[in-house]
Amino acid sequence: MKKDDSAFLQAALDEAKRAAKEDEVPVGAVLVHEGKIVATGRNARERLQSPISHAEIHALEAGAKKLGSWRLEDCVLYVTLEPCPMCLAACQQARVSRVVYGAKDPKGGAISLGYALHEDGRTNHRFAVDYVEEPECGGILTAFFRGRRNSVKE
């Protein structure tokens, strides 16, 4: 873990909280360049009715626009939940230098499912992916889905 990882995961968690207020699955992401947040993203699948409206996608797209390049080689993406295969592939395509996530996703996370695209020697870009356990990242998801289940029972 690097010294700023927790602070940037907290910023991603702020985005996840915004998503929860919008009744979206609470996942948030921040893109960091040269030690500063240059873009944020949060899940918006329900609001936009888009299957690809994941937090990571929004942060990568906003960061590319802000930095004026789709090549995000000097950027680190912080995300509250382990990226799915689509989002990990987007990080590979964006050429990020590192991804850090705060909660594992055994049913949907790329690494948990064995899709280690970030270190696949057959690809033209490899990058670091680090899990930094941040209990609040998993806790917000647990609370969100518990609330959903309870509202269905009522």
Side-chain angles (χ1 to χ4, degrees):
M1 177 168 76
K2 299 196 172 150
K3 89 175 187 182
D4 293 331
D5 286 350
S6 288
F8 290 129
L9 276 174
Q10 284 300 313
L13 193 53
D14 289 343
E15 286 299 310
K17 290 173 183 175
R18 287 183 185 100
K21 287 179 183 174
E22 296 169 348
D23 206 28
E24 296 281 354
V25 174
V27 177
V30 296
L31 188 69
V32 174
H33 181 255
E34 296 178 350
K36 295 183 176 136
I37 295 173
V38 294
T40 63
R42 63 183 175 274
N43 275 2
R45 293 191 328 172
E46 296 299 329
R47 183 170 49 89
L48 299 177
Q49 288 300 300
S50 170
I52 63 170
S53 266
H54 290 200
E56 300 94 325
I57 300 299
H58 289 286
L60 292 171
E61 286 185 331
K65 284 181 183 171
K66 172 116 185 201
L67 296 172
S69 176
W70 63 268
R71 291 176 187 87
L72 303 174
E73 293 162 332
D74 297 323
C75 294
V76 178
L77 183 71
Y78 290 86
V79 61
T80 56
L81 182 64
E82 178 182 348
C84 72
M86 173 186 72
C87 290
L88 193 64
C91 290
Q92 191 269 341
Q93 290 296 311
R95 308 231 189 331
V96 299
S97 62
R98 182 172 176 240
V99 173
V100 179
Y101 63 96
K104 291 185 178 183
D105 185 359
K107 293 181 179 178
I111 288 83
S112 291
L113 294 172
Y115 298 110
L117 180 66
H118 62 290
E119 57 189 23
D120 190 326
R122 297 170 297 174
T123 64
N124 62 344
H125 177 71
R126 282 162 295 291
F127 54 99
V129 174
D130 296 311
Y131 167 59
V132 175
E133 185 176 9
E134 185 61 56
E136 198 174 352
C137 290
I140 192 172
L141 286 157
T142 300
F144 178 81
F145 286 113
R146 183 178 296 130
R148 282 266 173 104
R149 284 189 300 275
N150 289 340
S151 69
V152 168
K153 290 178 185 175
E154 294 172 358

